[in-house]
Amino acid sequence: LARSVIDKLDLWGDAELSCETRGLFERLFGGPCSAPSEDMIDREAVLAHFKDATTVKRPGRSFVANVSFTSVDPQRAATVANALAGGYVEYRSSLQARGVEQAGARLEGHITRLREKSAEASAAADRLKEKGAAPDKAPADDQLRSLETLSQAYRSIYRALLDRYAKSVQEQASPVTEARIISEAVPPTQWSTPNVPAVLLLGA
């Protein structure tokens, strides 16, 4: 997910993520460092810095996740946080769609096999009826009843699977995603970290 967001927002060459780690004083008062050239970008370092700046917390035992991103640029902090949340929703939606599609494919296979078995049982029952009277009529009647019962059972299961398949097709056409964004991130109006007064006081 982190890689996909970095790709989407084209952050591999971003100075804030790709420059080498500096001391606290330099980060506070030295201004932004220059971005490295394209062939000098350390993608693993960019990814590590991106992950360090990302925070995902779940308040209490709820299923809500608070996604935040720390940046010197307030607008970027909100943009990246929203991109992370949106990317997660898309990921969960794609997983759900693949699951429905695979379930539909399995149901198709079961339906085809049941249709064939039902047709075979019906054909066998018809052939037995065409033979008419026979010396062993009692065993023939028992076999006929068995075949008809089997055919009915196949048809019943076949209809149930058809209903399930229709529902899976409907879910695939208009899926209800299990993940959604409750509220989007907005650019912060004040610093969250570091606490500059506290740092200066401790430094003094």
Side-chain angles (χ1 to χ4, degrees):
L1 181 59
R3 290 179 185 275
S4 69
V5 171
I6 295 174
D7 284 335
K8 181 179 180 180
L9 300 181
D10 193 21
L11 298 177
W12 290 112
D14 180 75
E16 188 178 348
L17 295 174
S18 58
C19 67
E20 295 182 359
T21 303
R22 299 180 297 167
L24 177 62
F25 185 85
E26 289 177 304
R27 280 187 283 144
L28 285 175
F29 305 109
C33 65
S34 57
S37 58
E38 183 68 26
D39 57 341
M40 295 295 292
I41 295 176
D42 185 346
R43 290 181 173 264
E44 293 304 318
V46 172
L47 189 61
H49 292 158
F50 185 91
K51 290 180 178 180
D52 288 341
T54 301
T55 303
V56 181
K57 291 183 178 180
R58 187 179 71 171
R61 296 188 177 184
S62 70
F63 289 98
V64 177
N66 291 329
V67 181
S68 61
F69 187 81
T70 303
S71 172
V72 295
D73 183 350
Q75 184 60 51
R76 175 180 298 179
T79 299
V80 175
N82 287 326
L84 283 165
Y88 177 76
V89 171
E90 291 177 3
Y91 168 72
R92 296 300 306 177
S93 298
S94 64
L95 281 183
Q96 186 176 352
R98 283 201 299 270
V100 171
E101 185 178 347
Q102 291 171 358
R106 288 194 297 269
L107 284 174
E108 280 184 5
H110 292 324
I111 287 170
T112 300
R113 287 190 292 273
L114 278 170
R115 186 170 56 237
E116 293 172 352
K117 288 183 177 181
S118 179
E120 290 173 0
S122 296
D126 291 339
R127 287 194 300 269
L128 200 59
K129 289 178 183 178
E130 290 173 0
K131 289 182 179 180
D136 53 348
K137 188 175 185 305
D141 288 342
D142 290 340
Q143 187 178 3
L144 179 60
R145 281 193 295 271
S146 177
L147 286 172
E148 288 177 342
T149 301
L150 184 62
S151 178
Q152 290 175 0
Y154 281 145
R155 282 196 295 269
S156 178
I157 299 174
Y158 173 73
R159 285 192 294 268
L161 284 178
L162 275 181
D163 290 339
R164 285 179 56 189
Y165 179 71
K167 289 179 182 178
S168 71
V169 171
Q170 185 178 2
E171 290 176 1
Q172 191 171 354
S174 55
V176 178
T177 57
E178 61 180 19
R180 62 188 178 89
I181 296 177
I182 298 176
S183 61
E184 292 189 346
V186 295
T189 57
Q190 59 185 12
W191 283 89
S192 60
T193 183
N195 188 328
V196 177
V199 170
L200 292 177
L201 181 60
L202 289 172

